Amino acid sequence: MVVPAALGAVLITTFVAYAVLNQVFGFVEPLNESGARPSVNGPAAWALCVTYAPLIARGPLLAILTVAYHRRRRANEEGGGEVGDAGGHRG
C-alpha cells in the first residue's frame, strides 16, 4: 500500500511542478494558431489560481499521509496490535 501511494505522490508532484514551471517559463511552445501565449487577466486569472491551487498541495500532502500511514502500520506490527488499534480501546 505504501509503494503505490509514494509513487503517486512523486508523480503528482512532478506533473504539477512541470505544469506550473511551464506556465512561468514556457518550456513548450503554445499549440494555438498565432503562436502567442494565451493571456489570462483580471477575475479569470484569480479564478484560475484559486481553482488550480489545491493541485499544487496534493502531491506533498499525499506524501505526508503516506509516511504517517507507514509509521502507524509499522508501529502496530512491531507492537503486536491490530490494524486500526492505536494503543487504546475502542468503544
Side-chain angles (χ1 to χ4, degrees), residues 18-28 37:
Y18 174 75
V20 169
L21 292 174
N22 187 38
Q23 287 296 318
V24 173
F25 296 111
F27 298 135
V28 179
R37 300 181 113 195

Side-chain angles (χ1 to χ4, degrees), residues 68-88 90:
Y69 173 78
H70 177 65
R71 287 181 180 171
R72 187 177 68 234
R73 292 285 296 206
R74 190 175 62 203
N76 283 336
E77 290 173 359
E78 290 174 359
E82 295 180 8
V83 174
D85 183 17
R90 288 187 179 178

Side-chain angles (χ1 to χ4, degrees), residues 9 12 28 33-34 49 59 66 70 77 79 81 86:
I12 289 171
V28 179
E33 294 174 4
S34 67
C49 291
T66 302
H70 177 65
E77 290 173 359

Side-chain angles (χ1 to χ4, degrees), residues 34-57:
S34 67
R37 300 181 113 195
S39 63
V40 180
N41 297 323
W46 283 103
L48 184 71
C49 291
V50 167
T51 304
Y52 283 99
L55 288 177
I56 296 170

